Amino acid sequence: MKLKSQINDVIKDAFLKAGIEHAPMSVSEATKPEFGDYQFNGAMALSKKLGKNPRQIANDILDHLDFTGLLAKAEIAGPGFINLWLNPLWIAAQCESAGQDTRVGVERRKNPVKVVVDYSGPNMAKQMHVGHLRSSIIGDTLANLLTFLGDDVIRQNHIGDWGTQFGMLIAYLEEMQNDGSVSLKDLEQFYKDAKGRFDADAGFADKAREYVVKIQSGDTHCLGLWQKFIDISLGHCEEVYEKLGVNLTRDDVRAESFYNDDLGNVIEDLRTNGTLQESNGAQCIFLEGNEVPVIVQKGDGGYLYATTDLAALRYRAQKLQAKRIAYVVDARQGGHFKQVFRVAKEAEFVPEDVKLEHIAFGTMMDKGGKPFKTRDGGTVKLIDLLDEAVVKAKETINNKEEYSSEQIEELAKIIGIGAVKYADLAINRESNYIFNWDKMLSFEGNTSLYMQYAYARIQSIFRKYDGQIEGNIIIGDALEHRLSTMLLRFEDVLMRTAEDASPNQLTTYLYELVTLFMRFYEQNPILKEGVDEETKMSRLLLADLTAKTIKQGLDILGIKVVDKL
RNA sequence: GCGCUUGUGGCUCAAUUGGAUAGAGCAUCAGACUUCGGAUCUGAGGGUUAGAGGUUCGAGUCCUCUCAGGCGUACCA
């Protein structure tokens, strides 16, 4: 439910009745429990416009507030804050219906948006490394979230499958094939070996260069080899996606090469409806206020990634009809996207009303604040990182005797992968992020394990109680009041998270929810002796809705829960 | 040089987009009916939000300058 907008409606109504025309600003959550559940701060802002003192305005609104529905009480405080208390009976009823809803009370969007989420984008020449982690999981979360809210989401994996290095790679692949010793298990090694051949053998180097030209001119033999190479490499990526629980399939792949045939058209169209200029032999667009131009065609006739991105933007806006296009890409490419977006709009490749966004994120650092590398300074392969996460997770599992080795393996995967994802999603995506195994695999603090633990704890209550749950939620104390209000905020949080593409807003919410639940759980016994039936039912219903909300929230983040830890 | 970006307790991060006394978690210290899962909960100490000005009823948040770090900066992606 859209709690905030419902409260806003009540405020707006009071404004109209008070004869104030200005559209009031929105309420916000109270900063402290003493200040109620929500607060309205608009009276101060309106004071100048209306030429009245803010407390007077607040009074006028208060006089016309409707207390027959969701509001129970309102007070004016300080210079003109209006503190609002929700009606416990109303909250309880809303929680009851949310508990019965498969979407925990979250409505499906009435006006869905067609949105492209571009993420992951690995390079086919190499193995996926830690640099792809953030894009893959932030992008996947965004796509999951928008899908859940009801948008029409098109996932796009813009893989790098084109460029000069492929000449070298397929020439080497052909050589290995002839030897009968194709080994593409380790792409990194394959690349190194090919590079070794390239540097050592002039004949091989010539062949590699010749193959580049051949692929580009559509030579079937070379294209066949290239396709084979891409298939295998993509297979490696899919293995990573599977482990990571990222919802990308082959259908989502729109590789760089997909746009090849359109690149010439892009240049031509830029010439006619853009401001293409030749400079030092290259085709450029000089944007006002920018020192460096956007180069779309090299002096030798070759195209660049700006060209491909323009073709992709046009495809997404015109063919796919997307109204929002989000690129989940490293913050360092901010300048590039700023330019490309501007060119795309100015050349009318993308209509004015289409929202183009660069969902930028910071770099992954080690404990010492340096870019994340292996001990010998190489890049860390993503698959190795994930395997390590599972191994480390295994060490945290208590009561290993209770489980079979398969169960431990399964559990470790859920815990380990969840920890890696949650740690990443829980921080502001734009800042650099410090990767720390101990912290992410801890049961304490804002971690996935703490959430999974809370979920399992609730499930254990329901294992113990096997009767029917029939009854109503009765809000009996301040803690239950806060917990249930928090539960009703879920949709508001999801909306804002989607708007800003900032998963950490969702993790912060889940953490606060779980913290509240833990306190509630310590303080308010559910199944203990002496708890009357009515209270028991009420608390079971609250626990149930909490568990469902945790599960749904983690599901959007791509993190699994288990009934038993 | 120019551009973008970051700076919040010892450490890692929040702060509802300009609102009340800047909040959490680690770590530290002190506690909790022999536990509905103690992998939890309660409490304490710890801050001039890098610094200086400005805008206004009100600034961690907006503007200007300074300091410090990171990144980008014409034919790689």
Side-chain angles (χ1 to χ4, degrees):
Chain A
M1 73 164 333
K2 294 178 179 63
L3 180 54
K4 207 179 263 189
S5 97
Q6 293 207 31
I7 302 170
N8 282 335
D9 287 346
V10 176
I11 299 273
K12 208 175 287 175
D13 196 47
F15 264 101
L16 287 176
K17 283 183 185 148
I20 302 169
E21 287 294 321
H22 298 280
M25 46 178 62
S26 171
V27 293
S28 55
E29 286 95 41
T31 49
K32 288 178 187 189
E34 306 94 89
F35 297 154
D37 300 313
Y38 279 81
Q39 57 179 266
F40 178 75
N41 306 328
M44 278 94 75
L46 281 172
S47 128
K48 203 167 244 177
K49 256 185 200 164
L50 302 178
K52 276 187 185 171
N53 91 61
R55 281 193 74 103
Q56 184 57 50
I57 298 170
N59 252 318
D60 291 347
I61 300 164
L62 211 64
D63 285 344
H64 294 92
L65 269 181
D66 175 13
F67 291 104
T68 61
L70 51 89
L71 285 186
K73 190 174 91 169
E75 273 175 9
I76 299 173
F81 295 100
I82 302 178
N83 295 334
L84 305 164
W85 280 262
L86 298 177
N87 182 348
L89 293 173
W90 184 85
I91 296 174
Q94 300 303 315
C95 282
E96 281 167 21
S97 67
Q100 280 164 13
D101 179 15
T102 51
R103 297 173 56 85
V104 286
V106 178
E107 291 162 36
R108 197 175 283 276
R109 222 169 246 185
K110 287 192 188 73
N111 305 307
V113 179
K114 193 168 231 183
V115 41
V116 162
V117 182
D118 178 311
Y119 66 105
S120 196
N123 188 330
M124 292 296 107
K126 293 187 179 175
Q127 202 118 334
M128 282 182 86
H129 55 84
V130 291
H132 300 109
L133 182 65
R134 301 206 71 192
S135 174
S136 299
I137 66 191
I138 294 170
D140 204 48
T141 292
L142 182 60
N144 292 343
L145 172 58
L146 295 176
T147 304
F148 180 69
L149 288 177
D151 280 341
D152 184 2
V153 176
I154 306 171
R155 297 167 197 252
Q156 295 273 276
N157 194 358
H158 191 82
I159 63 170
D161 67 342
W162 207 248
T164 49
Q165 74 263 55
F166 287 94
M168 177 181 92
L169 290 166
I170 64 166
Y172 190 62
L173 177 67
E174 184 181 43
E175 202 169 273
M176 299 299 286
Q177 236 173 357
N178 291 341
D179 284 0
S181 61
V182 191
S183 168
L184 266 168
K185 280 211 184 77
D186 187 342
L187 275 174
E188 217 61 33
Q189 195 54 45
F190 188 87
Y191 187 92
K192 272 184 202 153
D193 294 345
K195 187 80 169 45
R197 285 283 286 135
F198 187 88
D199 293 339
D201 187 336
F204 178 83
D206 284 342
K207 194 174 178 185
R209 279 187 276 266
E210 183 190 314
Y211 274 27
V212 175
V213 180
K214 278 191 169 180
I215 317 173
Q216 286 175 349
S217 58
D219 177 274
T220 46
H221 172 66
C222 285
L223 277 177
L225 282 166
W226 169 79
Q227 190 58 55
K228 181 168 185 185
F229 183 89
I230 299 303
D231 282 346
I232 294 169
S233 183
L234 200 51
H236 288 273
C237 293
E238 282 162 348
E239 200 183 316
V240 172
Y241 295 149
E242 167 67 29
K243 272 200 176 149
L244 197 51
V246 160
N247 298 306
L248 279 172
T249 68
R250 224 157 255 232
D251 291 341
D252 303 318
V253 172
R254 285 293 177 283
E256 272 184 288
S257 62
F258 177 81
Y259 302 101
N260 279 350
D261 294 342
D262 197 35
L263 298 181
N265 301 331
V266 167
I267 304 296
E268 277 320 301
D269 295 339
L270 284 171
R271 210 187 301 279
T272 50
N273 58 0
T275 48
L276 200 66
Q277 281 181 43
E278 188 170 317
S279 173
N280 295 327
Q283 300 302 318
C284 307
I285 296 146
F286 288 87
L287 291 167
E288 216 186 302
N290 280 25
E291 219 180 314
V292 290
V294 183
I295 303 176
V296 288
Q297 190 170 25
K298 297 195 277 186
D300 67 4
Y303 303 110
L304 292 110
Y305 77 138
T307 329
T308 318
D309 277 338
L310 285 168
L313 274 166
R314 178 154 75 172
Y315 172 79
R316 291 162 182 185
Q318 294 183 7
K319 280 259 165 35
L320 300 179
Q321 291 280 305
K323 289 293 167 210
R324 179 182 181 188
I325 307 175
Y327 285 81
V328 187
V329 181
D330 193 299
R332 283 173 289 197
Q333 294 199 36
H336 165 73
F337 282 112
K338 214 173 191 174
Q339 289 185 323
V340 168
F341 289 168
R342 226 172 106 183
V343 173
K345 291 245 163 139
E346 283 179 12
E348 293 175 0
F349 284 7
V350 174
E352 220 19 76
D353 64 336
V354 174
K355 203 165 151 197
L356 302 179
E357 290 171 281
H358 175 206
I359 312 295
F361 54 83
T363 313
M364 203 162 120
M365 305 293 201
D366 62 20
K367 263 194 218 171
K370 303 239 166 58
F372 202 81
K373 292 272 162 70
T374 55
R375 271 192 209 89
D376 53 5
T379 53
V380 178
K381 287 180 211 157
L382 197 41
I383 199 105
D384 293 343
L385 183 99
L386 300 180
D387 288 342
E388 192 174 351
V390 175
V391 170
K392 284 187 189 290
K394 224 176 277 180
E395 291 162 17
T396 69
I397 300 173
N398 273 350
N399 306 321
K400 288 202 175 74
E401 320 77 56
E402 284 183 29
Y403 301 103
S404 69
S405 58
E406 289 81 24
Q407 283 174 315
I408 289 179
E409 198 61 35
E410 188 54 34
L411 201 52
K413 271 187 207 163
I414 290 171
I415 294 173
I417 301 299
V420 168
K421 293 172 97 168
Y422 192 93
D424 192 321
L425 296 166
I427 62 147
N428 184 326
R429 66 173 158 76
E430 298 205 54
S431 49
N432 291 343
Y433 134 68
I434 295 180
F435 191 90
N436 183 334
W437 285 119
D438 297 334
K439 204 159 267 185
M440 73 177 72
L441 283 165
S442 167
F443 278 93
E444 285 156 5
N446 188 8
T447 64
S448 57
L449 258 176
Y450 184 67
M451 311 297 144
Q452 288 166 330
Y453 172 68
Y455 181 84
R457 219 174 167 184
I458 297 173
Q459 296 318 306
S460 125
I461 300 171
F462 287 103
R463 266 197 302 279
K464 192 160 179 182
Y465 177 80
D466 55 359
Q468 291 284 313
I469 303 174
E470 276 169 359
N472 295 93
I473 292 176
I474 304 149
I475 293 172
D477 64 11
L479 211 42
E480 290 183 356
H481 184 97
R482 284 178 67 192
L483 176 62
S484 45
T485 307
M486 184 64 96
L487 287 164
L488 294 183
R489 281 180 47 204
F490 190 47
E491 181 166 349
D492 285 342
V493 171
L494 293 183
M495 300 275 284
R496 247 187 66 147
T497 303
E499 187 68 29
D500 303 345
S502 54
N504 72 307
Q505 293 192 37
L506 176 53
T507 59
T508 299
Y509 167 81
L510 289 175
Y511 179 60
E512 282 172 13
L513 173 66
V514 165
T515 304
L516 270 178
F517 177 80
M518 289 291 200
R519 293 174 60 188
F520 156 79
Y521 182 78
E522 293 285 327
Q523 211 168 290
N524 300 8
I526 301 174
L527 301 180
K528 279 187 180 172
E529 271 183 51
V531 180
D532 63 81
E533 200 65 11
E534 214 175 34
T535 307
K536 186 198 280 181
M537 287 307 159
S538 167
R539 291 179 180 166
L540 280 171
L541 286 167
L542 275 176
D544 180 52
L545 179 57
T546 304
K548 284 175 176 161
T549 305
I550 295 170
K551 186 178 180 178
Q552 182 60 62
L554 289 179
D555 186 58
I556 287 168
L557 300 174
I559 296 169
K560 291 181 185 156
V561 290
V562 284
D563 289 350
K564 239 174 133 178
L565 270 181

